[in-house]
Amino acid sequence: MEIWKLVSLYSRVSPDIVHQVALIPVFYGSIAAIITKVPKIVNAVSGLGWLFTSTGILAGAIRLLFIPLFSHLLSNPRSKNIVQNPEDGSLLVAAGVPQNSLTLIRGAGVDINKFIPSVKKLDTVNVVMVSRMLWAKGVHEFMLAAKILMNENIDARFILVGGIDLGNPTSVPIKELESWSKRDGFEWWGKRSDIPEVLRDADILCLPSYYGEGVPKVLLEGAAAGLPLITTNTPGCKEVVQDGFNGILIPPRDENALAKSIRKLVMHKNLRELMGSNGREKAIREFSDELIIGQTLLLYTK
């Protein structure tokens, strides 16, 4: 069992601080850290994910059991808890987590020297979505928006990048992705480890997510790469995109709004370039690795 593996590890290493990232590692790790009496626990709750955002019966039943225990673990006096957006902080406070245990650090940072703007060489506009292939990330809306625009003969390629997540109940079936990728103008590239290269070939980055994000890493990477961003007006996503400045915010689950926004950016190169430049400046100013790491290290000394 993972908890006992962590108990064994923490007992053997006897750390002064443990830093645990993401919902399940925070849950398992906090139990292990309390059992082994780790002096300081830093929990980075990087988005509340499917469990907190799904309206399904299964997720609702799990929440009834999970949330009281999770909030109890985060309320440990030795715990410092990081949230990536204010809405997640409010949800945790409502669940009983002390406000003074929470620190807002917007995202995990981005390497602004690794993700850099590039000169676009092709006339055809590459519209890219990089994500795990989950319905809740907005994959279906991206597919439908692509279909709308392909039927209008818009001069663009629609590219999905990301792997299947078989452990997630909202994972997109591979047959569906393979079927879509046979259409002219639509491509699924699967899982890629060279995301900086992928973004150098992109002109527009989309993430129409309603998943329960913290601050999506790919939006930070897209901003640093000088791309205009299209994403939903939802917690986490709207932390990165200022509507009309470095991208466009749309309602969740709205393929027509997504298609309209993509069409606007495809048709106006100058607007793409302006938003991309604004996004690069915003990434440097607000989301660089150096800045985020500095904010995180401060928690180690408090």
Side-chain angles (χ1 to χ4, degrees):
M1 188 176 181
E2 298 303 322
I3 292 173
W4 297 115
K5 290 179 183 178
L6 288 171
V7 167
S8 176
L9 174 65
Y10 291 173
S11 297
R12 185 172 70 254
V13 175
S14 190
D16 296 309
I17 302 172
V18 293
H19 186 151
Q20 303 161 156
V21 180
L23 202 62
I24 297 305
V26 165
F27 181 72
Y28 290 165
S30 291
I31 294 173
I34 290 169
I35 290 172
T36 56
K37 299 181 180 179
V38 174
K40 181 172 287 187
I41 306 165
V42 176
N43 295 314
V45 184
S46 52
L48 296 178
W50 165 81
L51 183 59
F52 278 74
T53 58
S54 174
T55 57
I57 295 174
L58 175 61
I62 295 173
R63 278 198 297 270
L64 289 175
L65 299 173
F66 180 83
I67 290 178
L69 180 54
F70 188 65
S71 64
H72 177 72
L73 293 172
L74 296 188
S75 300
N76 185 286
R78 301 195 303 276
S79 295
K80 300 290 185 181
N81 306 305
I82 299 169
V83 292
Q84 294 190 347
N85 64 70
E87 289 84 356
D88 283 359
S90 296
L91 285 173
L92 292 177
V93 169
V97 179
Q99 178 73 58
N100 62 7
S101 77
L102 300 176
T103 298
L104 176 65
I105 299 178
R106 296 188 302 154
V110 62
D111 187 339
I112 58 174
N113 297 312
K114 184 177 180 181
F115 291 89
I116 57 176
S118 64
V119 177
K120 311 305 177 186
K121 298 178 181 179
L122 300 177
D123 292 332
T124 299
V125 176
N126 287 343
V127 184
V128 177
M129 175 179 172
V130 180
S131 167
R132 285 182 293 158
M133 293 295 101
L134 305 177
W135 291 126
K137 291 284 188 177
V139 173
H140 193 225
E141 286 73 17
F142 184 77
M143 291 174 169
L144 293 178
K147 182 178 180 181
I148 291 169
L149 296 173
M150 288 189 291
N151 286 341
E152 296 176 6
N153 294 315
I154 293 291
D155 188 15
R157 295 164 68 205
F158 298 89
I159 302 165
L160 271 174
V161 180
I164 304 294
D165 185 351
L166 296 177
N168 192 299
T170 72
S171 185
V172 180
I174 191 169
K175 289 184 178 179
E176 182 111 16
L177 293 165
E178 290 174 342
S179 174
W180 273 85
S181 64
K182 294 176 182 177
R183 305 182 183 207
D184 289 340
F186 192 94
E187 303 169 35
W188 174 49
W189 290 1
K191 186 175 181 178
R192 295 280 293 266
S193 59
D194 58 340
I195 300 304
E197 292 297 325
V198 169
L199 297 185
R200 286 191 187 101
D201 289 333
D203 296 282
I204 300 167
L205 180 68
C206 297
L207 185 69
S209 175
Y210 48 92
Y211 174 73
E213 306 284 356
V215 169
K217 184 82 169 177
V218 71
L219 290 180
L220 301 182
E221 293 168 347
L227 296 175
L229 309 175
I230 302 174
T231 192
T232 50
N233 189 16
T234 54
C237 295
K238 65 182 180 181
E239 294 297 306
V240 185
V241 175
Q242 182 180 338
D243 189 42
F245 177 72
N246 66 319
I248 301 174
L249 292 174
I250 61 171
R253 304 175 190 252
D254 190 338
E255 65 272 12
N256 291 304
L258 178 57
K260 179 180 178 181
S261 299
I262 293 172
R263 185 189 300 110
K264 180 178 182 178
L265 291 179
V266 169
M267 302 300 292
H268 295 92
K269 181 179 179 181
N270 290 342
L271 182 59
R272 296 200 305 270
E273 292 175 347
L274 176 60
M275 287 185 171
S277 177
N278 290 341
R280 171 71 179 175
E281 292 175 5
K282 186 176 177 68
I284 293 170
R285 185 174 63 249
E286 300 180 25
F287 298 109
S288 71
D289 276 347
E290 182 178 353
L291 177 64
I292 298 299
I293 290 170
Q295 293 173 354
T296 303
L297 289 176
L298 282 176
L299 285 181
Y300 291 5
T301 59
K302 287 184 177 181

